[in-house]
Amino acid sequence: MRLRLPEERPTEPPTGYKIAHPMLSQDGTRAGFTGVSLGGALPYGVLADASCVYGLRHRAPSRRCDCGFHCVHDRTTAEALLCTAEHRAAVLLEVTVLGRYIRFERGFRYARQRVRTATVGACACGTVAAALADAGWGRSGWRALAPSCAGCLHGRTSVSLAGFARLAGERLRVVAGRGASVAMAGLGPADDLGVPELAAEAALLQARLDWFQAQLARLGERGPGEGGRRG
Ligand SMILES: [Zn+2]
Ligand SMILES: [Zn+2]
């Protein structure tokens, strides 16, 4: 005879919080996240099933293993993790805990996850982020992204917050947070976008145009015949 823990049957799936690095596929067509510790090698999509990170043949989570998705109950507990130097560029995720889960004092370990909202911190320069740009590291086939303002892009591979949400799919919301100025970038047709989203997109376009014109000017300095006069 086995003793069993009482099983919870919540009417609504629980909500949790965690931090992760936003990732963009090499071809730029898919967006996802990768964990900051256990399982960090495997990028996951907005809606994803956990598998054992040790390759063991059991369903995750298993009581005898520490695999499965992890999250904490409190937003502030997850936010605190963003203070450490190596997590500064990570984003805060609000997730819905789906499937089987194991409840702990501080959070859950569970089988299936839907990321509902990603809150993106400020650019390294302190300005509210308008985009997620190449962070300079990644996994095989995936580039890690970090928050960037329009002025700090400098021609790096990047996606706007709305663009990241669109690539990630599943109605993910991507929010630029920090302080009083909060801009929200959602998914969907342009008529759903408000002034903050459009202003962020405009700032991005302007930065891209500035960079583009600087490159053109540089080519132009090399003299005619090098493409300086071509539109
Ligand atoms: Zn396992
Ligand atoms: Zn910046």
Side-chain angles (χ1 to χ4, degrees):
M1 199 178 86
R2 269 175 65 192
L3 282 175
R4 307 204 69 171
L5 289 171
E7 286 197 15
E8 293 185 21
R9 301 246 169 242
T11 51
E12 287 200 356
T15 293
Y17 300 89
K18 65 197 293 177
I19 66 172
H21 294 288
M23 308 290 281
L24 182 68
S25 67
Q26 184 182 6
D27 61 5
T29 61
R30 285 176 299 150
F33 301 95
T34 196
V36 295
S37 53
L38 185 75
L42 309 162
Y44 53 84
V46 171
L47 186 61
D49 291 292
S51 57
C52 181
V53 287
Y54 306 105
L56 300 175
R57 287 211 214 152
H58 54 224
R59 289 194 300 165
S62 162
R63 285 220 183 84
R64 282 179 232 134
C65 192
D66 57 5
C67 59
F69 288 119
H70 292 66
C71 71
V72 294
H73 300 304
D74 288 332
R75 186 184 173 104
T76 44
T77 306
E79 277 173 338
L81 300 171
L82 293 169
C83 294
T84 64
E86 67 268 35
H87 298 157
R88 284 290 169 98
V91 300
L92 178 76
L93 303 183
E94 183 191 315
V95 301
T96 300
V97 172
L98 301 167
R100 297 176 322 119
Y101 62 76
I102 299 171
R103 178 190 282 275
F104 295 96
E105 187 185 348
R106 290 178 66 192
F108 297 103
R109 188 151 64 81
Y110 52 103
R112 187 169 163 81
Q113 167 178 278
R114 176 188 289 278
V115 182
R116 305 186 66 86
T117 307
T119 303
V120 176
C123 177
C125 77
T127 309
V128 172
L132 289 165
D134 193 344
W137 62 276
R139 306 281 181 228
S140 182
W142 292 86
R143 283 172 213 268
L145 304 176
S148 177
C149 72
C152 291
L153 284 178
H154 303 306
R156 278 181 295 162
T157 298
S158 67
V159 283
S160 68
L161 302 191
F164 186 89
R166 207 175 305 122
L167 291 176
E170 298 283 346
R171 303 190 308 281
L172 174 71
R173 289 169 68 230
V174 182
V175 178
R178 283 303 141 86
S181 49
V182 169
M184 204 184 82
L187 172 70
D191 46 317
D192 280 355
L193 299 180
V195 171
E197 295 87 348
L198 292 174
E201 295 286 336
L204 266 188
L205 287 173
Q206 188 60 54
R208 286 237 184 257
L209 194 57
D210 288 347
W211 178 83
F212 182 69
Q213 284 177 333
Q215 305 310 308
L216 270 187
R218 199 169 50 83
L219 290 174
E221 280 163 17
R222 292 187 191 161
E226 286 285 312
R229 290 217 165 216
R230 285 177 223 152

